[in-house]
Amino acid sequence: MTTTSTMRQQAAATATELFVADPRVAIVLAEISTEYFEPAFAHDPSRAVNVGIMEQTMVGVAAGLALEGFHPIAHTITPFLVERPLEQLKIDFGYQGLGGTFVSVGASYDYGMEGATHQSPGDVQILSSIPRMQILVPGTASEIDRLIRQTYANGHPTYVRTNIVQNADAFDVEVGRMHVVRRGSLGTVVAIGPMLARTLEATAGFDVTVLYATSVEPFDAETLAGVAGDRPAIVTVEPFYEGTVVGRVAEALRLVPSRIGSVGVPRTFVDRYGTADQLDRSFGLDASGIREQIARFLDIAVLS
């Protein structure tokens, strides 16, 4: 494992290491990233399956393997993993109480040049509708390694969201736990996954607490409530649709009067083409745009 690995490369490497070490692990692909999993197919092709461009079948096959006692790890591009086979995720895994790991690539618009068919800023919101679904949004390749190893055999359906952009620093992340990165008195900013580095840049000089979350479900309500104070102002910075985690924040702070704002992908169709960096800038999700939105919500004066 190296710090130069992409999240996708690390997810594949971790899955392959688990596949070799644990004969209960199975890998199911849908024609995407097959080159990263070649060692797994060479090691034991009976547990590594490429179903082709049939994503609903991929999830169904993974469920069949789970019913036989395997720990399936499935992987493809985000909209093809979350939206196209939503029924299979809901019924085959959610309703039947099965466990499996679902690793996406391309969210929210890492494939911005490919148009709406390859974009999925609504993935976390969609999967939040499935009871027992764990949703993990790591910010570095090494955090992906830790989170997959912690969850691959825990009996839950677990979604692991990868991203092109990585934070500069990795944390010893654990499922369901936030990190207090910075403390302040004017408000609390919750940065999700790969939004941490730009959030720290955006809040430089602001007297705010910054929390880092890689686990959307389960959500660390205890840490948030413990640092927020008795009349908190909270801003979430999300790499998906804005407001997706606001309900979890509101539940964590239900006993105190709170102000909650959110910075994230606008709830509109991404009807433009460009790189992920270009789209981030256009939506105000680069450091300067985030700084402006946080300052406006918390009423912090920003010198020009």
Side-chain angles (χ1 to χ4, degrees):
M1 179 175 60
T2 66
T3 57
T4 58
S5 296
T6 67
M7 291 195 191
R8 176 195 281 199
Q9 289 170 332
Q10 185 59 62
T14 299
T16 299
E17 288 177 14
L18 293 171
F19 180 88
V20 172
D22 186 345
R24 299 168 300 169
V25 173
I27 290 174
V28 190
L29 305 179
E31 208 61 59
I32 298 299
S33 303
T34 54
E35 65 275 20
Y36 297 121
F37 291 91
E38 287 177 357
F41 282 86
H43 177 76
D44 187 352
S46 69
R47 291 185 286 127
V49 182
N50 178 12
V51 303
I53 307 175
M54 298 188 296
E55 292 85 2
Q56 293 164 320
T57 297
M58 177 187 70
V59 176
V61 168
L65 288 163
L67 284 170
E68 293 299 318
F70 289 96
H71 306 307
I73 299 174
H75 165 74
T76 190
I77 298 173
T78 310
F80 311 141
L81 180 65
V82 174
E83 296 170 328
R84 187 169 294 170
L86 178 60
E87 180 75 4
Q88 284 71 34
L89 291 168
K90 181 180 74 173
I91 300 301
D92 293 358
F93 279 89
Y95 182 71
Q96 293 195 109
L98 298 177
T101 303
F102 305 92
V103 181
S104 74
V105 62
S108 287
Y109 37 66
D110 283 350
Y111 291 113
M113 301 298 290
E114 305 296 331
T117 57
H118 285 59
Q119 299 167 0
S120 187
D123 56 338
V124 170
Q125 177 178 304
I126 290 166
L127 292 179
S128 295
S129 68
I130 301 177
R132 296 182 61 254
M133 177 70 72
Q134 295 185 328
I135 301 173
L136 307 177
V137 187
T140 69
S142 62
E143 291 172 359
I144 279 186
D145 180 75
R146 288 181 61 88
L147 292 172
I148 290 178
R149 291 180 189 278
Q150 289 174 26
T151 58
Y152 83 95
N154 69 0
H156 281 267
T158 301
Y159 178 57
V160 183
R161 189 186 209 259
T162 75
N163 198 266
I164 289 177
V165 174
Q166 297 191 51
N167 297 321
D169 299 311
F171 288 77
D172 292 333
V173 294
E174 295 180 12
V175 175
R177 183 167 72 90
M178 289 188 196
H179 289 263
V180 181
V181 181
R182 182 187 294 164
R183 289 188 181 271
S185 61
L186 294 181
T188 299
V189 179
V190 181
I192 310 293
M195 305 304 281
L196 177 62
R198 68 188 74 178
T199 298
L200 290 173
E201 181 181 350
T203 57
F206 289 179
D207 184 21
V208 297
T209 293
V210 177
L211 300 179
Y212 178 46
T214 56
S215 180
V216 173
E217 184 62 47
F219 187 76
D220 187 359
E222 181 179 356
T223 295
L224 176 60
V227 304
D230 56 1
R231 298 186 68 85
I234 311 293
V235 182
T236 63
V237 184
E238 310 172 43
F240 30 74
Y241 274 151
E242 59 187 357
T244 295
V245 301
V246 164
R248 291 168 176 81
V249 172
E251 174 63 19
L253 303 175
R254 66 189 183 280
L255 299 180
V256 295
S258 310
R259 294 176 56 238
I260 306 172
S262 129
V263 177
V265 181
R267 290 178 175 269
T268 183
F269 284 107
V270 183
D271 58 356
R272 65 196 74 176
Y273 291 84
T275 66
D277 285 343
Q278 290 170 332
L279 291 172
D280 278 344
R281 286 195 297 273
S282 71
F283 291 136
L285 294 179
D286 58 350
S288 62
I290 293 169
R291 183 177 181 84
E292 180 181 341
Q293 294 180 74
I294 291 174
R296 187 186 311 123
F297 182 79
L298 296 178
D299 196 22
I300 298 174
V302 179
L303 297 177
S304 58

